[in-house]
């Protein structure tokens, strides 16, 4: 009798398990190596990009400074060169010496201007002899074309010299002149490198500048080697020097990549052995893989914490919030604070002279390195000068109340400026999109009534439908002041929101504190006639007669009829009786306007400036801007408005995004000031 041997299905599954295990091992090992290589490549690419940017920044600073000084030389009045340039050279940090030669390479009269002796103890006449005997023969001056600007970086007796030179042609006399500037390398190394080059990246990388003989000119010697070190010469100016950059933890990065590959290899071997022991251990391996996947998902969720939209990608900001260019309010302080908080601050250029705009831009750049913009009127008489200033200063965004012409848009885009006009109709959005605008602000009637009575909730969808084939980001404006508005705008399909009045009473706003208190107090619900009467007296003392008259009418409607306020307005010739039909209903209409979703007509702006007195008054109670004022207590900052999103904000729903947006600015208790 033949006995049949039963073969367990487990043994039959072993070949399949072995094949699957080997395939999995090969795939996992290749994947581990690829991840390690990608991580290393990412670090190297970032280091190279940072190094190229740093080199470009240094050389652009030298070249731009030289060109500014070259343009100051008046060839028609060279006889006055020494007096004028002595002061210019003395005040210039980058230039030590200025020299002017004629077409025969001879020094013109008084054509040599220099500062005090340098720190090496070299006197001015010493460099003049060195220039005449050694350096001048090295300069290919006669080979230059008129207007051509070049540099010479050389070394004599262990001292580096950098000279910038240009060929100029006097059109009136027909003479040719050569202008040579000696650059102050001590300032470049001692001040510019630490403050402008190194400080923004301090704590991330090591920076070193090597001279022509390999000596350390700036920084400290970088001992690291290999792919984790950026090592390139400067291209144009100080071309005998090399820039070295390396991550602070380059050795740890290299060792970590190797260790990760080794650990993954050991793990794969262990998994293979376990799978070969039996199917029971297979369950354990699958469970372990599930845990690793969960940890990976949690890590990705924690890393992806920013709310990214086409607007944030286009401009380079953290949050899709734009602070609009409110005249007289959106100054340097508010714009810098908004940009530092992660939003996009916009300077109000229309209420500034050109010189005031230049000063404001300088202040903003000194306070932040984040992107910001300038709001301009395209129909202004000096619009071209303002555009040139914007391009020259490297401002990121150009915002327009009236859409600029296609030629102006093209000029800005050629300079790398993001163009964002404001529109109040779908057809206008379509037109500026065809002209090349990068994005558009769509402002409904709630935004101060500037664009007509059409509500934002009606205008926004029509604009989105009109430009959907262009891919142009649309920014919603008008009536937005909290997270609910942001969530709603994003749900419509907008790339962000623009707000004005919301920033009016922040600590960063230039509106006087006393006026902030008045504006905020006027928006509080439940004010009695006595309080309104006293508000009228305060406005009267400020010289705001219209606001005082409005408070007087409101107090009378609330049943408070003391005559002092009326008497003072009569004496000032500013009194007028309220309309009989509306006097009794004034208080009720204000209460109704506060609770209504929006006005039935184009609302007033959140705030307006009185040129006569220099004061400020809030808008009427029917304005959506008053709801924006009430939505946040006094003392709030731009940073609290441009909310700090938590690590999971990107994966949250729109409603949760709204909750976080409002958390920094809770509505105060009724009748209180904070």
């Amino acid at each position: 009798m033949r006995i049949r041997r039963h073969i367990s299905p487990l043994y039959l599954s072993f070949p399949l398990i072995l094949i699957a295990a080997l395939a999995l091992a090969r795939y996992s090992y290749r994947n581990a190596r690829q991840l390690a290589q990608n991580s290393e490549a990412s670090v190297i690419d970032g280091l190279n990009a940072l190094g190229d940017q740093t080199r470009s920044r240094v050389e652009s600073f030298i070249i731009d400074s030289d060109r500014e000084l070259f343009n100051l030389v008046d060839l028609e009045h060279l006889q006055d060169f020494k007096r004028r340039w002595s002061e210019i050279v003395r005040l210039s940090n980058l230039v030590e010496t200025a020299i002017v030669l004629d077409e025969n390479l001879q020094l013109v009269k008084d054509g040599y201007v220099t500062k005090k002796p340098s720190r090496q103890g070299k006197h001015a006449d010493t460099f003049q002899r060195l220039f005449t005997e050694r350096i001048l023969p090295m300069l290919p001056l006669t080979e230059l074309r008129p207007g051509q600007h070049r540099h010479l970086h050389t070394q004599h007796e262990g001292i580096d010299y950098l000279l910038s030179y240009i060929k100029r042609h006097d059109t009136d006399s027909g003479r040719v002149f050569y202008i040579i500037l000696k650059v102050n390398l001590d300032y470049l190394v001692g001040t510019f490198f630490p403050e402008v080059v190194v400080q923004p990246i301090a704590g991330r990388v090591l920076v070193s500048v090597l001279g022509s003989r390999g000596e350390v000119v700036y920084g400290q010697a970088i001992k690291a080697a290999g792919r984790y070190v950026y090592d390139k010469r400067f291209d144009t100016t100080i071309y005998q020097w090399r820039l070295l950059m390396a991550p602070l933890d380059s050795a740890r990065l290299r060792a970590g990549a190797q260790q990760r590959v080794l650990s993954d290899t050991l793990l794969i071997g262990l998994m293979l052995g376990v799978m070969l022991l039996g199917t029971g251990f297979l369950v354990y391996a699958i469970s372990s893989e599930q845990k690793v996947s969960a940890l990976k998902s949690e890590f990705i969720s924690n890393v992806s914490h920013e709310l990214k939209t086409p607007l944030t990608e286009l401009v380079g900001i953290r949050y899709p919030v734009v602070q609009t260019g409110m005249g007289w309010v959106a100054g340097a302080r508010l714009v810098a604070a908004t940009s530092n908080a992660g939003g996009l601050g916009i300077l109000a250029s229309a209420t500034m002279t050109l010189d005031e705009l230049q000063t404001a831009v300088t202040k903003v750049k000194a306070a932040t390195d984040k992107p910001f913009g300038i709001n301009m009127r395209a129909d202004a008489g000096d619009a071209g000068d303002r555009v040139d200033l914007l391009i020259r200063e490297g401002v990121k965004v150009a915002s327009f109340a009236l859409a600029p012409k296609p030629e102006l848009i093209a000029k800005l885009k050629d300079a790398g400026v993001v163009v964002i006009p404001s529109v109040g109709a779908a057809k206008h959005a379509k037109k500026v999109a065809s002209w090349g605008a990068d994005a558009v602000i769509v402002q409904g009637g709630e935004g101060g009534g500037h664009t007509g009575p059409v509500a934002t909730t009606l205008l926004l969808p029509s604009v989105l439908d009109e430009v959907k084939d262009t891919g142009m980001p649309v920014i919603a404006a008008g009536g937005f002041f909290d997270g609910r508005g942001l969530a709603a705008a994003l749900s419509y399909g907008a790339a962000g929101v623009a707000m004005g009045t919301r920033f009016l009473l922040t600590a960063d706003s230039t509106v006087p504190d006393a006026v902030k208190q008045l504006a905020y107090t006027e928006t509080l619900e439940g004010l009695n006639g006595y309080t309104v009467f006293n508000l009228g007296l305060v406005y009267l003392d400020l010289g705001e007669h219209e606001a005082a008259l409005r408070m007087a009418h409101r107090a009378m409607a609330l049943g408070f009829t003391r005559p002092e306020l009326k008497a003072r307005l009569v004496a000032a010739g500013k009194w007028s009786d309220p309309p009989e039909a509306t006097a009794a209903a004034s208080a009720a209409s204000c209460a109704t306007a506060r609770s209504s979703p929006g006005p039935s007509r184009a609302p007033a702006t959140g705030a307006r400036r009185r040129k006569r007195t220099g004061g400020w008054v809030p808008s009427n109670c029917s304005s959506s801007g008053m709801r924006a004022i009430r939505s946040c207590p006094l003392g709030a900052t731009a940073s609290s408005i441009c909310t700090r999103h938590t690590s999971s904000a990107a994966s949250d729903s729109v409603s949760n995004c709204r909750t976080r947006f409002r958390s920094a600015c809770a509505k105060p208790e009724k009748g209180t000031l904070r």
Side-chain angles (χ1 to χ4, degrees), residues 6 55-56 238 255 263 287 341 366 438 502 532 551 621-622 639:
H6 177 71
R55 286 196 308 142
S56 177
I238 44 177
S263 62
S287 178
D438 298 287
R502 188 65 175 78
V532 173
M551 293 294 102
C621 59
S622 61
S639 178

Side-chain angles (χ1 to χ4, degrees), residues 7-41:
I7 300 177
S8 173
L10 180 63
Y11 292 102
L12 297 177
S13 66
F14 270 161
L16 298 178
I17 295 174
L18 179 60
I19 295 173
L22 292 175
L24 178 62
R26 182 174 180 271
Y27 171 79
S28 300
Y29 178 77
R30 292 181 61 184
N31 189 48
R33 287 187 58 87
Q34 187 64 41
L35 288 175
Q37 293 173 359
N38 291 343
S39 177
E40 183 180 30

Side-chain angles (χ1 to χ4, degrees), residues 198-334:
V198 178
Q199 187 174 354
I201 59 177
R204 292 187 290 166
V205 297
L206 296 173
V207 180
S208 179
V209 179
L210 303 183
S212 57
R213 301 188 305 275
E215 77 277 11
V216 177
V217 177
Y218 173 82
Q220 57 184 352
I222 297 178
K223 299 180 180 180
R227 301 179 65 193
Y228 285 102
V229 177
Y230 176 91
D231 186 356
K232 288 186 180 180
R233 290 188 177 274
F234 291 89
D235 295 326
T236 306
T237 56
I238 44 177
Y239 48 79
Q240 293 195 14
W241 289 1
R242 303 199 331 265
L243 175 65
L244 274 67
M245 301 178 71
L248 289 173
D249 53 352
S250 59
R252 184 178 64 83
L253 289 174
R254 189 182 303 105
Q258 297 173 354
Q259 185 178 1
R260 182 165 55 191
V261 174
L262 178 61
S263 62
D264 290 343
T265 303
L266 295 176
L267 179 61
I268 293 169
L270 178 62
M271 291 176 57
L272 180 60
V274 170
M275 294 179 70
L276 293 176
L277 290 177
T279 56
F281 290 97
L282 182 61
V283 177
Y284 172 80
I286 294 175
S287 178
S288 299
E289 187 66 21
Q290 290 176 344
K291 292 180 180 179
V292 172
S293 181
L295 292 174
K296 181 180 178 181
S297 299
E298 183 180 357
F299 172 77
I300 294 174
S301 178
N302 291 332
V303 171
S304 304
H305 60 275
E306 293 188 356
L307 182 61
K308 294 185 178 182
T309 71
L311 173 63
T312 63
E313 297 292 331
L314 174 66
V315 185
I317 56 179
R318 295 183 64 190
Y319 308 119
V321 177
V322 178
Q323 166 256 301
T324 60
M326 297 174 286
W328 311 106
V329 177
R333 188 171 69 187
L334 179 58

Side-chain angles (χ1 to χ4, degrees), residues 20 28 65 68 71 75 80 89 118 200 230 233 388 401 404 450 467 482 487 502 558 562 569 575 596-597:
S28 300
S65 299
E68 290 182 3
N71 292 332
L75 299 179
D80 200 30
V89 172
S118 64
Y230 176 91
R233 290 188 177 274
D388 292 340
H450 301 299
V467 302
D482 60 7
R502 188 65 175 78
L558 293 171
R562 286 184 58 175
L569 287 168
W575 174 256
S596 65

Side-chain angles (χ1 to χ4, degrees), residues 157-168:
E157 298 180 0
I159 300 176
D160 283 273
Y161 297 91
L162 176 63
L163 290 97
S164 303
Y165 55 97
I166 191 172
K167 182 178 181 179
R168 293 280 300 276

Side-chain angles (χ1 to χ4, degrees), residues 94-422:
L94 192 61
V95 175
E96 287 184 342
T97 304
I99 303 172
V100 179
L101 305 178
D102 60 17
E103 62 269 19
N104 298 319
L105 304 184
Q106 298 297 316
L107 188 69
V108 303
K109 184 180 180 182
D110 295 330
Y112 185 91
V113 181
T114 187
K115 287 185 177 181
K116 295 180 180 179
S118 64
R119 290 186 295 186
Q120 290 84 2
K122 299 294 182 178
H123 296 285
D125 59 342
T126 303
F127 174 74
Q128 188 172 1
R129 289 195 301 271
L130 176 65
F131 172 81
T132 304
E133 299 172 2
R134 302 289 299 276
I135 298 179
L136 181 57
M138 301 172 60
L139 297 175
L141 298 178
T142 58
E143 302 175 5
L144 297 176
R145 300 185 305 273
Q148 187 176 6
H149 175 203
R150 298 179 65 180
H151 296 83
L152 174 66
H153 186 196
T154 185
Q155 192 178 76
H156 294 283
E157 298 180 0
I159 300 176
D160 283 273
Y161 297 91
L162 176 63
L163 290 97
S164 303
Y165 55 97
I166 191 172
K167 182 178 181 179
R168 293 280 300 276
H169 180 259
D170 187 4
T171 56
D172 293 334
S173 64
R175 298 180 62 188
V176 173
F177 297 91
Y178 302 95
I179 307 170
I180 301 97
L181 303 179
K182 178 177 178 289
V183 177
N184 187 357
L185 294 178
D186 288 342
Y187 170 78
L188 197 68
V189 173
T191 302
F192 184 78
F193 280 156
E195 293 181 359
V196 181
V197 176
V198 178
Q199 187 174 354
I201 59 177
R204 292 187 290 166
V205 297
L206 296 173
V207 180
S208 179
V209 179
L210 303 183
S212 57
R213 301 188 305 275
E215 77 277 11
V216 177
V217 177
Y218 173 82
Q220 57 184 352
I222 297 178
K223 299 180 180 180
R227 301 179 65 193
Y228 285 102
V229 177
Y230 176 91
D231 186 356
K232 288 186 180 180
R233 290 188 177 274
F234 291 89
D235 295 326
T236 306
T237 56
I238 44 177
Y239 48 79
Q240 293 195 14
W241 289 1
R242 303 199 331 265
L243 175 65
L244 274 67
M245 301 178 71
L248 289 173
D249 53 352
S250 59
R252 184 178 64 83
L253 289 174
R254 189 182 303 105
Q258 297 173 354
Q259 185 178 1
R260 182 165 55 191
V261 174
L262 178 61
S263 62
D264 290 343
T265 303
L266 295 176
L267 179 61
I268 293 169
L270 178 62
M271 291 176 57
L272 180 60
V274 170
M275 294 179 70
L276 293 176
L277 290 177
T279 56
F281 290 97
L282 182 61
V283 177
Y284 172 80
I286 294 175
S287 178
S288 299
E289 187 66 21
Q290 290 176 344
K291 292 180 180 179
V292 172
S293 181
L295 292 174
K296 181 180 178 181
S297 299
E298 183 180 357
F299 172 77
I300 294 174
S301 178
N302 291 332
V303 171
S304 304
H305 60 275
E306 293 188 356
L307 182 61
K308 294 185 178 182
T309 71
L311 173 63
T312 63
E313 297 292 331
L314 174 66
V315 185
I317 56 179
R318 295 183 64 190
Y319 308 119
V321 177
V322 178
Q323 166 256 301
T324 60
M326 297 174 286
W328 311 106
V329 177
R333 188 171 69 187
L334 179 58
V335 170
T338 302
S339 295
N340 282 327
L344 178 63
I346 303 238
L347 274 172
S349 162
T351 55
M352 299 179 184
T353 65
L354 189 62
D355 292 340
E356 290 172 342
L357 178 59
Q358 177 66 71
T359 302
V361 170
T362 302
K363 290 182 179 179
V364 174
K365 293 175 68 174
T368 182
D369 58 352
K370 302 296 191 298
F372 69 97
I374 296 177
N375 179 261
M376 297 175 292
R377 290 185 62 92
D379 59 346
D382 59 349
D385 295 334
R386 295 173 183 265
V387 168
D388 292 340
L389 186 152
L390 182 146
I391 296 174
R392 183 173 65 252
E393 294 293 336
V395 178
K396 181 70 174 181
V397 175
S399 166
F400 291 92
L402 298 174
K405 298 298 183 182
E407 300 80 21
L408 186 57
I409 295 178
K411 179 180 179 180
L412 290 166
K413 290 177 65 69
D414 289 341
V417 180
V418 177
V419 181
I420 308 179
S422 297

